[in-house]
Each structure stands twice: as structure tokens, then as C-alpha cells.
Amino acid sequence: MKRRVLVKRTALVLITVFFLQPVSYTQEQQQPQRVSSDIYAKILKEETDNSQIMRTLHFFSDVYGPRLTGSPNLKAAGEWAVKQMQQWGMENARLEPWNFGHPGWLNERASGFIVSPVKDTLVFEVLAWTPGTNGTVVSEAYQMVLPERPTQAELTAYFDSIKDKVAGKIVLVGKHTPVPVNFTPTPKRLNDDDLRTRFDPNVKPSPTPTPTPTPTPSDRLTGGQVSEQLDKFLLDNQVRVRVNDAGREGGQIRAFNNRTFDVTRVVPTVILRNEDYGRISRLLADGQAVTLEFNIQNRSYPEGATSYNVIAEIPGTDKRDEVIMLGGHLDSWHAATGATDNAIGCAVMMEAARILKAIGVRPRRTIRVALWSGEEQGLLGSQAYVKEHFGSFENPKPDYFKFGGYFNIDSGTGRARGMSVFGPPDAATPLREAVGPFAYLGIVGVTNTRSRGLGGSDHTSFNQAGLPGIGVLQDPIEYFTTTWHTNLDTYERVIEDDVKRSAIVIAAALYQLAMRDELLPRFERAEMPALPPPQPSPTPAPSPSATPPRQP
């Protein structure tokens, strides 16, 4: 029904601009309002009639997913994207290498079963950068529960008390996590009135609260110290397989990575769905012997130490040395095909650039598409790119002063509802004017941010450098609740009408930044926000993206 409404509204707009002629940037300077209206109508028509988004998503997710950083799948997806954008007429398409520093990894096959006292198939995902089982292993299960916040003496005593019980076994690590029924599910759409308040340029934003760290007594081990010793203990006692509780409802599983990226420092590890983990835990609590069987086949790829960002361009005309960028991260976690995180973001951004190329826009500035890798391991690909090409406010390179903005999408299938740009308040004005005509598609407004904090998604790599990163706020749909980093992140979870709306909005904003006389306003030197103090990496967190931080 929503798609029909979009098509009807599109048709009404197109009636008024039928038989439009190609437009050059000189005409844009002479008649900006009329030309923008004409271009917007063409954008709508191109996306309505010739959209390539779902085809692009299909290749990224069904053909090349999952796309773990360093894996051959990710490189193959990047190579396909290069060829596709070349076919669309974009130039300078290439894979640009950067140093990941770790081998690539793939799980090729895995199976698991309860053998006794009942028989059933287990549902699980393998933890990335862990070894395989070297064939089928069958063993009794043992469940260990670590002491909370132990001292070194307490942890050592606990390990000594159970080492004979875990030796050669399949070990469940931790208590079963009770997951209560959720009677107040998160809304799938953002409230329009709340958004209007949030994006009202006359409303002062609430100050960001400073988190207060929880002090750890000096004699207590940190989570990272406990995890490191646990890994060694399991390895020293020849544990066959480590089993962790997914701890999520409805069979959802999030499987991240061995934090060392070294398969020799851990035992084979799986994340078992909460329902299976609970069943085994209760059987063991009854005093019954439980026998499990696993066969896990993983492979490492040394060549994955070099990873790649995907780059392609629509060259500019009179301002070709200045660049407007857009993109998302192409890498994904491995539990599913990475459709909402973030194949669809990449497909939307490729589509926005394709639309402008297809309708014959000759941008004044160069438009550059970038699909990043290493985002899930800490925004590594985009950080490497910004450092290499632009430098930072404190140490700029020549192209730093020719950069006009980077649009980023990375919050799933939801339609674009707003944008946040790093810069002074007037940096939001051109973007607000660009997306204003598309309010009926759900876009509410644009605001600015002063934060140079790194985290959330790749636009903050630009923000940290003092450059205008533009994060796109989206309707959550099922993202943070269901698909984000889980085994349910597949093609089926993408809403076609929503992502088409996003592509239209992005294409319009992209067009305006590529055509206007001046670059977006930036902070004056004396007004540039200071870099936040370095934050210690959370341990044993598998990734800086371990909590949902991505809405700008």
C-alpha cells in the first residue's frame, strides 16, 4: 500500500515536469530553483521506474554474504561492486587496500547435536577467529560458572577446583540467561512529533551526559583479565569445545570474535541459542549426564591481513578537485548474510550515485562512493582512508580543504528520517533546504553536531578529523531488536519501499552539495571542538559496535 502511495505522489510531481531537457551546471547557477525542481522530478522518476537497489542487495547478501573483514567473501563483494559501478558509467572504480593486520577467517561448515540423554539438533553460530574441531568430537558436557569479579587468588582456586572436571570435555561457560517475554516491544517507526522537536533548529539540544565509570577495586580482576586467563585455562586443559549462551529471545544469536584474532590462543567456540543452552543447563542441574557432538570446519586466510575499501567516482566539472562522498560499510558479521547491516546501506548509497549518473547530472564537484571494510572491528577502513587522504584538523593534508561532506547510512532498512552534520549550525541549512521538498517521504530535518567522538559508524571517522560527516537517522524497524548482528540479518528483512525513499532523499541532498557555489560551512579554527580524551577499549567486548550506537 505504501509503495502505491509513493508511486501516485511521484506521478503527480512528474506531470508538471514532463519532457524535461538535460541541465548543465551553468543553468543551475542561472535558475537554481527551477533546475532543482526539474532534477528532483527526474530523481523520483528514475528510482520509481528503474531502481537497482534490491538487485544490488541480492548480490551483496545472497551471493557474497556473509562478508567478514579479511575474508574472501568480502573481497569478492568489493570486486563485484567495482564492476557494477563501472557498468553504470562511474570512473576510477577500484579496491583501495589498507592494513587490517589479522588473517581472514571463514566458517565453512558446522553441526551440533545432543546425543544423550535426548537427541536433538542444536542451533548455534561459531565465534569468529576460533579454530575448528578437526573432525567430529563427542564428549560429555560440563557447565562452569565463574566467580563474580574475583581476585586473582579466587580465580586461581576456582580453576584448580574444576580442572579435572573440564579436561577433554565440551564446556558450557556461564549460567543460563533467563530472557523474559517482552510485553512492550520497541516501536518500528519513530514518532513524527518527537522528530520535529529533535530537528527543530530553534531548539537547543540537551547536553550529552558524561558517563561515570564504575570503579573496580584494585584487588579485583577486570573482565579482560578474567577472559584472558579463562581462554588459557580451557586451552591448557584440552577442552574440546567452548559453548556460550546467546542470551537472546526468539532464537536470535549474536556471534562476534575472539578478541585476539589468533586461533591458536582459544579453543573451538560456539554461541548456542538461549533455548538450547537452557535445556542442556537444566538437564545438567538434574544430575543427568549430557553428551554433545560437534563438527566445526573453519579456515584462516593469511592474505586477509590486507583488506580493501571500494571506491568509485562521478568526476566533477569546474570544481572537480572538491569531493562529496557517500557510503556505508560493506563488511558484516558472519552469523547471517549481513543484509540490514550493512549491505542495504551500501546498496542505497550506490543507488543514489547511480540515479544522478543515469539522469545525466554533470556535478560541479566530484562525487565519490566509498564502501568500507573493518567497520565492525572499530571503523578501521574509514579511519585508514581519512588519515591517508585528508589527515585531520590538527594535521591536515591538501585535500582536507577540498572536502565537502560524507553521507553515511548504517541503521538497517528503515527510511531516512533526518540527518546530523558535523559543523556549526549553518552547516545544516543547505541540507535542510535540499531534503525539505521530500517531507512526504518521511524526512523531517537536519541538525548539526559538535561531537568529534569516534563510534557508531563511519561518518564519525570524518567527524573526528574535523570534517563534515553526515549521519542519517532512520526508522528502527527491527534493527536493534532483531537483525542487528544476528543470525536473522537476511534479505527478507529489508523493506523495499523504505530503501527506495532513502535513495531518493540521499540523491537530492548529494546533488545539492555537489552543485552549490560553496562548500559546507565549517568551524572556524578557534571554534573547532577539541578531540575527546582517549577512552580505554572495553574488555572483553568483541567490537566497538557491541551496543546499538548508530543513530546520529
Side-chain angles (χ1 to χ4, degrees):
M1 187 66 181
K2 292 177 182 175
R3 187 177 179 185
R4 291 176 187 168
V5 172
L6 174 59
V7 172
K8 287 178 181 177
R9 286 173 173 165
T10 301
L12 289 173
V13 174
L14 293 176
I15 289 171
T16 64
V17 291
F18 197 59
F19 296 126
L20 298 175
Q21 299 299 315
V23 178
S24 70
Y25 68 85
T26 54
Q27 290 174 296
E28 164 70 23
Q29 291 172 314
Q30 295 167 0
Q31 298 173 304
Q33 290 184 345
R34 184 190 69 78
V35 172
S36 293
S37 177
D38 292 352
I39 291 296
Y40 284 4
K42 288 186 174 184
I43 289 171
L44 284 161
K45 179 173 174 57
E46 176 62 27
E47 183 57 24
T48 301
D49 294 349
N50 302 309
S51 178
Q52 298 295 303
I53 287 181
M54 300 307 286
R55 179 179 183 273
T56 301
L57 174 66
H58 160 64
F59 276 90
F60 282 156
S61 57
D62 295 335
V63 178
Y64 298 110
R67 304 169 307 279
L68 195 66
T69 297
S71 71
N73 291 23
L74 178 59
K75 186 178 180 184
E79 291 168 344
W80 179 85
V82 165
K83 292 178 182 177
Q84 183 60 75
M85 288 190 282
Q86 287 173 332
Q87 290 175 10
W88 289 342
M90 299 183 200
E91 301 179 21
N92 303 321
R94 63 194 184 275
L95 296 183
E96 188 168 305
W98 61 276
N99 180 31
F100 179 43
H102 305 292
W105 180 94
L106 272 181
N107 167 246
E108 296 185 340
R109 183 176 299 178
S111 60
F113 308 92
I114 302 180
V115 176
S116 67
V118 296
K119 297 185 183 300
D120 203 356
T121 301
L122 298 173
V123 178
F124 64 92
E125 298 294 337
V126 179
L127 194 73
W129 284 280
T130 56
T133 55
N134 194 27
T136 300
V137 297
V138 180
S139 174
E140 284 190 12
Y142 177 81
Q143 185 170 12
M144 59 181 293
V145 179
L146 290 161
E148 294 186 12
R149 300 175 62 188
T151 64
Q152 184 61 64
E154 290 169 343
L155 185 63
T156 300
Y158 176 72
F159 284 156
D160 287 343
S161 70
I162 65 167
K163 62 183 179 181
D164 292 337
K165 299 175 183 178
V166 305
K169 300 288 179 59
I170 293 173
V171 176
L172 281 69
V173 176
K175 297 178 182 178
H176 171 245
T177 303
V179 180
V181 173
N182 184 2
F183 289 102
T184 55
T186 304
K188 289 180 168 54
R189 297 286 187 194
L190 297 172
N191 180 274
D192 289 349
D193 291 337
D194 291 344
L195 284 175
R196 291 188 189 98
T197 300
R198 175 172 177 175
F199 286 98
D200 185 340
N202 299 313
V203 174
K204 279 191 171 184
S206 301
T208 303
T210 303
T212 303
T214 302
T216 300
S218 57
D219 63 335
R220 301 289 171 177
L221 298 175
T222 65
Q225 291 170 328
V226 172
S227 294
E228 184 177 356
Q229 294 187 49
L230 174 61
D231 288 342
K232 186 176 185 303
F233 171 76
L234 299 177
L235 202 61
D236 289 346
N237 287 279
Q238 300 179 350
V239 166
R240 312 295 292 278
V241 178
R242 172 178 174 171
V243 181
N244 294 342
D245 184 356
R248 297 189 60 81
E249 66 180 351
Q252 296 175 25
I253 300 171
R254 286 178 178 163
F256 295 110
N257 62 279
N258 155 29
R259 68 192 184 285
T260 71
F261 296 91
D262 184 347
V263 299
T264 67
R265 296 177 63 179
V266 292
V267 299
T269 303
V270 302
I271 314 300
L272 191 63
R273 71 173 174 178
N274 181 255
E275 295 83 352
D276 288 343
Y277 196 98
R279 183 184 191 184
I280 296 169
S281 181
R282 289 186 293 272
L283 289 170
L284 290 171
D286 284 341
Q288 300 193 56
V290 178
T291 301
L292 304 178
E293 173 186 319
F294 285 96
N295 188 319
I296 303 168
Q297 298 179 30
N298 300 331
R299 179 180 294 187
S300 294
Y301 294 86
E303 63 272 22
T306 299
S307 195
Y308 301 89
N309 296 319
V310 181
I311 306 295
E313 295 178 337
I314 302 174
T317 50
D318 65 317
K319 293 180 177 290
R320 66 181 301 134
D321 289 342
E322 297 178 356
V323 176
I324 309 297
M325 294 184 66
L326 72 165
H329 72 89
L330 188 55
D331 66 301
S332 76
W333 287 110
H334 56 289
T337 58
T340 70
D341 189 18
N342 183 36
I344 194 56
C346 294
V348 166
M349 295 315 215
M350 285 174 60
E351 182 75 357
R354 184 200 69 80
I355 289 170
L356 298 187
K357 183 68 180 175
I359 65 176
V361 167
R362 295 178 60 221
R364 301 181 69 187
R365 295 180 178 85
T366 295
I367 292 172
R368 183 178 298 160
V369 179
L371 312 181
W372 312 110
S373 55
E375 191 274 351
E376 297 293 3
Q377 289 72 44
L379 317 181
L380 301 181
S382 58
Q383 285 193 77
Y385 184 90
V386 170
K387 182 178 180 181
E388 174 67 22
H389 290 270
F390 302 116
S392 67
F393 173 77
E394 290 75 16
N395 188 24
K397 294 189 174 184
D399 284 348
Y400 184 90
F401 304 100
K402 301 176 182 179
F403 181 77
Y406 165 73
F407 294 90
N408 190 79
I409 275 191
D410 186 18
S411 291
T413 186
R415 61 188 177 182
R417 304 301 309 278
M419 297 179 185
S420 175
V421 57
F422 177 79
D426 55 346
T429 302
L431 291 166
R432 192 178 296 122
E433 293 171 349
V435 303
F438 297 100
Y440 72 91
L441 295 182
I443 187 81
V444 172
V446 182
T447 188
N448 72 301
T449 177
R450 294 179 52 86
S451 173
R452 293 181 70 183
L454 186 69
S457 195
D458 292 293
H459 60 288
T460 65
S461 294
F462 293 83
N463 296 4
Q464 185 186 58
L467 294 167
I470 304 165
V472 179
L473 177 73
Q474 299 166 253
D475 276 329
I477 311 298
E478 304 168 325
Y479 188 63
F480 297 121
T481 55
T482 303
T483 68
W484 180 65
H485 295 172
T486 77
N487 54 324
L488 305 182
D489 187 7
T490 63
Y491 181 101
E492 287 73 18
R493 305 270 58 83
V494 169
I495 301 171
E496 183 174 355
D497 184 66
D498 271 35
V499 298
K500 286 181 176 180
R501 291 175 181 229
S502 294
I504 291 167
V505 169
I506 296 296
L510 178 63
Y511 170 76
Q512 290 294 350
L513 292 199
M515 301 300 284
R516 66 194 306 266
D517 289 338
E518 304 296 333
L519 293 171
L520 285 178
R522 297 193 192 179
F523 288 111
E524 298 293 336
R525 176 165 292 277
E527 298 172 343
M528 176 64 72
L531 283 167
Q535 296 294 319
S537 298
T539 53
S543 152
S545 304
T547 55
R550 296 191 178 164
Q551 300 285 21

